[in-house]
Amino acid sequence: MPTCRGAKFKEQVFSLPGVSAAVVTLTAILVLTLILPNYTTSKAGPEYTPIQLIFVAVVCLVLYGAFVMVQTIRHRDFFLPPDADGDEEVHAEPPTNKVALLSTFLLLLCLGIVVLLAKALAPDIENAVINFGAPKSLVGVIIAAVVLLPEGLAAYRAARKNRLQTSLNLALGSALASIGLTIPAVAIVSMVTGMTITLGIDMKATVLLLLAQFTIMLSLATGKTNILQGVVLLVIFAVYLFTIIAP
């Protein structure tokens, strides 16, 4: 998000405590779900045993639940943008219970629609990828992009309006929810159906993931961003896509 409006606003600011909380939680979930399975020894391969999968699923729920509590209750001000007058110390009033419940319902409804849409599009996307001659692993990337598209667009629009705090809340919150809630869901499916879930990513993806997280931590360490950090992150993402197509 720093890239999209960094050229206009030169430098954008955000609440460091709020972003730090999100990045720390996201890093822990990423390592536990995508990297650690490659190094456990109870079962060969990048997979967890059933008991390990259940434990990690519970851990993901605990981490995500703790983050939501911090974001919405204990340290809500860390995640709020300034008020309409631009005063950094004055924030808007919390939404009413009615608004919060309605927003929750609409969020779940829209999430269900997006997931169903992604499922419906999956066969056509897979055929297009195969016809293009690209690896099937690209299908997962495209599906993930479809699922995250609404939050991504909302974060982009917020950044265009120089509301970087809101943009980061949307982007990091979406990543946390996508992983922190998906792992428990697939764990339940695995237990019920007996399916084997492969979580660990390969070494190439691990290196790029760690590079991206390291870059994010350095970029967001000062509470200010500019166009350079955004360009670096976009390049890392482009390298990831390129190495999927041309491994």
Side-chain angles (χ1 to χ4, degrees):
M1 295 309 150
T3 308
C4 68
R5 298 305 287 173
K8 176 180 179 181
F9 297 112
K10 307 299 181 183
E11 190 173 71
Q12 294 177 291
V13 298
F14 54 88
S15 171
L16 183 57
V19 171
S20 296
V23 171
V24 167
T25 309
L26 179 60
T27 301
I29 292 178
L30 287 172
V31 172
L32 292 174
T33 57
L34 300 181
I35 298 179
L36 185 61
N38 293 319
Y39 299 98
T40 53
T41 58
S42 297
K43 186 175 183 179
E47 302 170 5
Y48 279 134
T49 63
I51 188 65
Q52 289 173 335
L53 184 60
I54 293 173
F55 179 77
V56 169
V58 172
V59 167
C60 287
L61 285 176
V62 170
L63 288 173
Y64 182 71
F67 173 77
V68 171
M69 183 185 68
V70 167
Q71 186 182 44
T72 59
I73 301 175
R74 293 183 66 92
H75 300 288
R76 186 170 176 271
D77 278 358
F78 290 169
F79 302 87
L80 289 174
D83 71 339
D85 296 327
D87 189 345
E88 297 282 348
E89 301 300 325
V90 179
H91 296 302
E93 290 296 323
T96 62
N97 291 336
K98 180 179 179 180
V99 171
L101 289 174
L102 179 61
S103 299
T104 301
F105 171 75
L106 292 175
L107 175 63
L108 295 175
L109 177 63
C110 293
L111 179 61
I113 293 173
V114 170
V115 171
L116 291 175
L117 177 62
K119 182 178 180 180
L121 291 175
D124 293 332
I125 293 175
E126 184 174 356
N127 291 334
V129 168
I130 293 175
N131 292 335
F132 184 71
K136 281 191 175 181
S137 55
L138 185 61
V139 176
V141 177
I142 297 174
I143 295 298
V146 172
V147 173
L148 295 175
L149 184 61
E151 294 92 341
L153 289 176
Y156 174 75
R157 293 193 188 100
R160 287 191 61 186
K161 297 177 181 177
N162 200 23
R163 298 174 59 195
L164 187 60
Q165 183 63 52
T166 300
S167 178
L168 290 172
N169 288 345
L170 288 165
L172 294 174
S174 174
L176 277 167
S178 298
I179 303 175
L181 299 181
T182 298
I183 298 303
V186 298
I188 293 173
V189 171
S190 176
M191 296 296 102
V192 172
T193 64
M195 295 174 58
T196 299
I197 305 297
T198 300
L199 293 178
I201 56 179
D202 59 26
M203 186 56 65
K204 173 197 68 180
T206 298
V207 170
L208 291 174
L209 174 62
L210 294 177
L211 175 60
Q213 287 302 110
F214 179 71
T215 304
I216 289 171
M217 289 180 180
L218 291 181
S219 301
L220 303 179
T222 62
K224 299 179 181 180
T225 64
N226 57 54
I227 192 173
L228 178 60
Q229 288 97 328
V231 169
V232 173
L233 289 171
L234 286 177
V235 167
I236 294 174
F237 181 63
V239 170
Y240 173 69
L241 292 179
F242 178 76
T243 53
I244 288 178
I245 298 174

